Amino acid sequence: LGLASAYHRGATLHKLRAGLTRCRRADAMGGDGGQVIDRATMVKCRGYGLTKESGGRYNNSLGEMNSYLQMVSEDRGLGCLERHRTRMTQCWLSQETLRDPVVACRLGNLYNKEALIGALLNKSVPQEVAHVRALKDVKQCLITWKECENEQGLRRMVCPVSREDLDAGSSRAVVIWASGAVVSPKSLKELKLKECPVTGKPFDPDKDVIPLAPEGEDLDR
């Protein structure tokens, strides 16, 4: 009988302690059954992005994610293909749609010439493109455009040789620095061209071919 009584007293004490712990947790969490979220979890800081947990089965739920604050070095919302397509259709400086005249730098970035001139005059060129100090550091591009019927009158950048789209995420394009022509590197390789297909001007395939919107190995090169 004494053992049974001690057992019941121990069980009751355990329940009281558990209840007190739950009350403390509820007080810290707000008592709404949600997740404990502190300032470090929610405040956006430099170098961080406020993003949802990728791949979780509670992506649409606030209280079930592991963490909202994830360190990112680039925009997590854009995949590789989408990022490439954006860089091939928008000015690197102004993020406006590319329109003639378009210029390119040695790093393969594309700019609306008007936006670049404005940045040079205002001395507001970002550090990432500090190598562009004057218009002599860029090349005006000869772009072949194709009108699109189902894209609200927007134009697509195409190769003058193969007529393939150059501004799609999976496409690649180069500018021939000697002439400024924008073409597909596949066309240059297959036809073994050493003269610009647009102007007929000779060029050096090893020195005058600059990849546009490069990433990875192309950018290092």
Side-chain angles (χ1 to χ4, degrees):
L1 181 60
L3 292 176
S5 177
Y7 173 80
H8 287 300
R9 285 198 301 270
T12 302
L13 182 59
H14 176 74
K15 291 180 180 179
L16 289 175
R17 288 176 177 174
L20 181 59
T21 300
R22 285 196 297 270
C23 289
R24 288 175 177 172
R25 289 179 179 173
D27 182 63
M29 296 170 60
D32 59 356
Q35 180 180 353
V36 178
I37 300 178
D38 54 15
R39 182 179 183 276
T41 306
M42 291 301 296
V43 174
K44 294 177 65 176
C45 305
R46 183 178 180 182
Y48 285 78
L50 190 64
T51 61
K52 293 184 177 182
E53 177 195 5
S54 59
R57 67 188 185 95
Y58 296 109
N59 277 353
N60 295 322
S61 169
L62 179 63
E64 297 290 346
M65 297 179 193
N66 293 332
S67 176
Y68 291 93
L69 196 62
Q70 300 177 3
M71 181 180 291
V72 291
S73 59
E74 58 188 14
D75 188 355
R76 286 288 300 272
L78 293 180
C80 180
L81 297 182
E82 182 65 18
R83 185 168 57 249
H84 182 80
R85 188 193 69 81
T86 300
R87 293 183 61 190
M88 288 297 298
T89 56
Q90 294 182 5
C91 170
W92 194 94
L93 283 173
S94 65
Q95 282 74 57
E96 295 178 344
T97 301
L98 289 174
R99 58 182 182 275
D100 291 325
V102 176
V103 295
C105 68
R106 285 282 185 176
L107 292 183
N109 298 320
L110 294 170
Y111 315 86
N112 285 328
K113 189 175 182 179
E114 182 180 350
L116 181 60
I117 291 175
L120 291 172
L121 291 176
N122 296 328
K123 297 182 179 180
S124 59
V125 176
Q127 185 63 32
E128 292 86 350
V129 290
H131 62 285
V132 180
R133 301 179 180 178
L135 289 181
K136 64 180 178 64
D137 297 320
V138 296
K139 189 71 176 182
Q140 184 156 326
C141 298
L142 298 176
I143 298 177
T144 304
W145 300 98
K146 177 182 69 174
E147 298 292 338
C148 297
E149 299 179 356
N150 300 325
E151 298 189 25
Q152 300 179 349
L154 297 178
R155 299 185 301 173
R156 300 296 301 269
M157 188 185 303
V158 298
C159 174
V161 179
S162 63
R163 306 301 294 182
E164 65 176 299
D165 292 338
L166 297 180
D167 52 10
S170 58
S171 302
R172 292 295 178 266
V174 297
V175 57
I176 301 175
W177 198 260
S179 65
V182 176
V183 299
S184 166
K186 184 178 179 180
S187 298
L188 294 182
K189 184 177 181 180
E190 290 181 349
L191 299 178
K192 299 180 180 180
L193 296 176
K194 294 186 178 181
E195 294 182 352
C196 175
V198 178
T199 65
K201 189 175 181 178
F203 67 92
D204 187 338
D206 296 325
K207 297 180 180 180
D208 291 335
V209 177
I210 307 298
L212 294 178
E215 293 189 17
E217 295 180 358
D218 288 338
L219 183 58
D220 295 337
R221 192 182 309 164

